[in-house]
Amino acid sequence: MRRILVPTDFSDQARNAFEVAVAIAQKTGAAIKLLHVVEMPSSYSFSATGDLVGGNGMEQVYMMKLLENTRYRMAELERTIAHQGVEVVQEVDTDNVIRKIKRVISDDKVDLVVMGSKGSSGMDEFLIGSNTEKVVRTAACPVLTVKGRMPHFNIRNIVLASDFKREIGSAVEKFKYFQHVFGAKLHLVYINTPGAFESTNTLRLRMQTAAERYGLQNFTINVYNDTIEEDGILHFAEEMKADLVMMATHGRTGLSHLLSGSIAEDLVNHSNIPVLTFHLK
């Protein structure tokens, strides 16, 4: 792992994400980019010399003051989190948040995005979702979402939830890397629900076959019964005292996403345990 991206909106959750990113960087030798995106009206742009173009005089003064204050807050954020031995660079830009994050992932060849998640529920969740969910759905690299503060981020138990039917090989290699870096134990789990019930023997055989195919080590095989997949994953992870939940996501969008939702995005919204997702292409 060489590059970690931490988008920040200066919330407590984003600060927690930066703290976790530093802990990962100290173990892997990765550099961190702190990114804040200011969404400005489309009438604004920057000239070749970096001057703000667009709007009237007062609007330009306001926007320049906003950018100046943002850069000050970025410097303060970096200063308040100890990051000995970790290279941290800052970037403040004006763009659409999701578009800019996707561009940085591509241009900088980012290996991991670490983001804070506030979570949401009810109508707010249905209507707008969050930037974190959108990144989970579309990012070309793994995304680690963090809510609470974890000053001593250390992974000992990892839950890997899957149906073990679809090919998840590209995601498993990313997940195995995390397990190796932290020397953690991996707990494979299939959530057996009433609507898609299968016998325990059949499921355990499928999971064992998948574990052998992917070359997994230091793992357990678990079948957990619950009413819906998301609740089952959360309940199992809590029982295992998991430090991390990992899932591959197929990143459904549009009408398909609205009708069927995404278990990975639901977990990001509702789990207090960090969630590592990887979007399968």
Side-chain angles (χ1 to χ4, degrees):
M1 185 178 295
R2 298 176 58 196
R3 296 179 178 89
I4 300 173
L5 173 64
V6 183
T8 182
D9 59 2
F10 306 111
S11 64
D12 289 342
Q13 291 83 2
R15 185 186 185 280
N16 296 339
F18 180 36
E19 199 168 40
V20 166
V22 168
I24 296 171
Q26 287 173 332
K27 278 188 169 291
T28 62
I32 294 175
K33 172 173 278 190
L34 275 175
L35 173 69
H36 180 80
V37 183
V38 179
E39 296 210 38
M40 293 198 305
S42 58
S43 57
Y44 285 93
S45 63
F46 284 102
S47 69
T49 59
D51 296 323
L52 190 66
V53 178
N56 60 40
M58 288 299 294
E59 290 173 338
Q60 284 196 15
V61 169
Y62 169 78
M63 291 307 301
M64 292 303 293
K65 286 291 186 183
L66 175 61
L67 292 171
E68 181 182 340
N69 181 60
T70 299
R71 293 187 179 98
Y72 172 79
R73 295 180 73 185
M74 288 283 275
E76 280 294 290
L77 174 60
E78 180 179 348
R79 185 184 64 80
T80 57
I81 301 292
H83 55 277
Q84 293 86 352
V86 176
E87 177 188 352
V88 178
V89 297
Q90 303 171 21
E91 181 176 355
V92 175
D93 199 1
T94 57
D95 204 337
N96 170 270
V97 173
I98 303 302
R99 182 169 58 233
K100 176 62 179 180
I101 290 174
K102 291 172 69 175
R103 185 181 302 127
V104 171
I105 290 172
S106 175
D107 292 348
D108 290 7
K109 296 180 172 57
V110 170
D111 300 297
L112 175 69
V113 176
V114 184
M115 293 188 72
S117 172
K118 296 181 177 68
S120 57
S121 60
M123 188 56 68
D124 176 62
E125 178 181 356
F126 178 77
L127 290 175
I128 62 172
S130 69
N131 284 330
T132 304
E133 289 176 48
K134 294 171 186 173
V135 174
V136 165
R137 197 182 311 155
T138 61
C141 68
V143 180
L144 176 63
T145 56
V146 178
K147 285 183 183 173
R149 185 163 182 255
M150 307 182 73
H152 306 292
F153 184 70
N154 196 18
I155 299 171
R156 286 290 174 258
N157 288 286
I158 299 174
V159 167
L160 172 55
S162 174
D163 61 9
F164 300 97
K165 293 179 182 177
R166 288 166 286 192
E167 180 61 42
I168 58 171
S170 57
V172 169
E173 291 306 310
K174 308 288 186 183
F175 296 158
K176 284 167 62 177
Y177 176 79
F178 250 78
Q179 180 190 14
H180 172 73
V181 165
F182 288 92
K185 194 174 189 67
L186 186 63
H187 303 281
L188 310 182
V189 64
Y190 178 98
I191 306 303
N192 216 5
T193 62
F197 184 83
E198 296 188 62
S199 74
T200 298
N201 286 342
T202 298
L203 293 171
R204 292 183 67 84
L205 178 60
R206 182 192 304 159
M207 296 164 74
Q208 182 65 44
T209 300
E212 292 172 0
R213 182 167 71 250
Y214 298 132
L216 300 183
Q217 297 180 351
N218 191 22
F219 65 92
T220 67
I221 290 177
N222 306 271
V223 177
Y224 192 89
N225 298 324
D226 214 317
T227 52
I228 60 175
E229 288 91 342
E230 178 206 332
D231 286 351
I233 296 168
L234 290 174
H235 294 157
F236 177 75
E238 289 166 0
E239 288 183 17
M240 298 301 297
K241 295 182 171 55
D243 305 297
L244 178 68
V245 175
M246 302 193 300
M247 277 197 70
T249 173
H250 289 265
R252 291 186 293 266
T253 59
L255 184 60
S256 163
H257 173 259
L258 288 175
L259 292 176
S260 60
S262 164
I263 297 172
E265 290 169 41
D266 287 342
L267 280 175
V268 166
N269 248 344
H270 303 137
S271 174
N272 290 320
I273 302 169
V275 179
L276 180 69
T277 57
F278 182 66
H279 176 206
L280 296 171
K281 305 299 181 290

